[in-house]
Amino acid sequence: ACTRFAARTPLLANMVEGGKTPLHDAAWLQARGFRIAIFPGGTVRAVAHTLQGYYASLRSHGSTVPWRERMLDFDGLNALIGTPALLAQGKQYEG
């Protein structure tokens, strides 16, 4: 398919962990003629795997302390999502 169509139209590779198509990295796919590669469910599978460990630890320890180094703290999360900038922008609407 790549040999026949790649010169005429952008080909998309849909990489799904555990799917029927073997997983390949973007460089391998590009070398075969694919111009677009998507990994649409990778984030949810990674998050689900992480949550399994997090909740098992929370249940076992009754605390998030063992996970502190693998988590953002309150300020870290706010910095990531831009809370300080949003609050500063909101000040223009005060009083």
Side-chain angles (χ1 to χ4, degrees):
C2 290
T3 303
R4 184 168 184 180
F5 297 108
R8 298 189 321 207
T9 187
L11 299 179
L12 178 136
N14 183 13
M15 298 286 97
V16 178
E17 298 80 2
K20 292 183 180 184
T21 303
L23 282 177
H24 297 289
D25 64 39
W28 189 93
L29 293 165
Q30 184 177 23
R32 277 142 190 87
F34 290 96
R35 295 199 349 223
I36 305 164
I38 61 172
F39 299 79
T43 55
V44 72
R45 283 187 277 286
V47 168
H49 178 72
T50 300
L51 285 173
Q52 286 178 318
Y54 170 82
Y55 284 123
S57 177
L58 182 58
R59 183 176 187 179
S60 174
H61 300 282
S63 168
T64 60
V65 170
W67 274 73
R68 292 286 307 260
E69 294 301 317
R70 292 178 271 180
M71 300 170 64
L72 294 171
D73 64 10
F74 185 77
D75 291 335
L77 178 59
N78 281 325
L80 178 69
I81 63 175
T83 301
L86 289 171
L87 292 173
Q89 185 179 13
K91 288 198 180 290
Q92 70 180 323
Y93 300 106
E94 290 181 355

